[in-house]
Amino acid sequence: MPKIFPRKFIFSSRDLQRIVPVLLMYLMISNLWYKALPSDVPSVICSFGTGRLGNQMSSFATLHSFSRLKGYNHFVTKDQKEMLEYYFQPNINRELHTVKDDLKSYFVDFFGLISISRIRWEKPWVRIDNVDNNFNYSSFGDDAMIKGRFLNGGDYPNEVQYFKEFLPEIRRMFTLKEKFRKSAAEKLEQAQKTVQYTGEPIFVGVHVRRGDYGEHLTQLYNLSILDESYFKQAMEFYRERYKSVIFVVVSDDLSWAQESLVGQDVVFLGNLEVLGKDLSKPLKAGDDIGEDLALLAACNHTIMSFGTFGMWGSLLAGGRVVVPSTFLLTKEGKEVVTGGLIQGQSWHVIPVLNNQTSIDSSPPT
């Protein structure tokens, strides 16, 4: 009877690369592969989103609040950790635990070729609407959730209603690195020399989100990008309340802003070009993004447009915030409303037209 293998058969690296995936597939299908978290251990929660800085800040803040409220073990991916470490002071580092480094017993290394996770991530959240990864997280506090589970927090969690009470400590963790804060301080000092004012200047950060966001607004919400009329109304809001205002504009389309928002008290201190979305390296960091966020954070008050980047600029600044009524119809806007920020006296909504239809300034119910 012939032998199946030669007596001294040796597996080559190419053979292993063929055999290992087949073996893993079998184990996964048969459910023998996954390793459960002990039922008495606090649940692990992690977001695997690859959004830009504003998204990562919202994700971190949300899952940090879950950890503070219910004792979850909050983890990040290696790429998320590297991005947050790039922008923020080292005091955030102790909160950045990575799945692969801190849960090594749940990974298996095969011959130094590949490392495979034995974690089965659950996503038990209820979808709210057709917006991708828009979930209702109200069940995160249920007894069945808080121990013994590996929970996928979704790609874009932004639960203002939960992290709002922890904003003071979150702001401290989101202290930008010295080089970004120094750059912002120098630019604001220079602005004071170019704008005529009396008394103490009041800086108002103006975040003009355009670029690819117009397509995003149209596809998801049937909303249009903001034109100059909204920003001019928002500026008048501050001019009526403060004597010496300097508007500090940052944008992903600064050329449009320079043409459309001209004024004696308006300065364009943001970067002319900002880091674009790189699909091959979605979490790539850049100094321009850090400098623009530092400018918004260094201002006294904010004029927002859309998105989490502008939202965090306003939250780090900590003063008054003006938003367009169409913002309230977006995922982030609804989360700000649910979090109770719009209802406070610090936030003001300006009605704007969307496709020639007036959008009410009252928060949606």
Side-chain angles (χ1 to χ4, degrees), residues 4 52 85 152 167 178 185 193 196 220 244 256 261-262 289 306 312 329 342:
I4 297 176
R52 289 187 254 191
E85 286 180 336
N152 182 335
L167 273 177
E178 173 65 22
K193 299 176 182 178
Q196 293 184 352
L220 291 183
S244 301
W256 178 89
L261 305 179
V262 177
I289 300 296
F306 298 105
W312 278 107
L329 303 179
I342 293 292

Side-chain angles (χ1 to χ4, degrees), residues 155-170:
D155 289 351
Y156 307 107
N158 182 44
E159 293 299 292
V160 180
Q161 61 180 319
Y162 298 121
F163 67 67
K164 181 177 69 171
E165 68 176 282
F166 303 109
L167 273 177
E169 64 188 68
I170 290 171

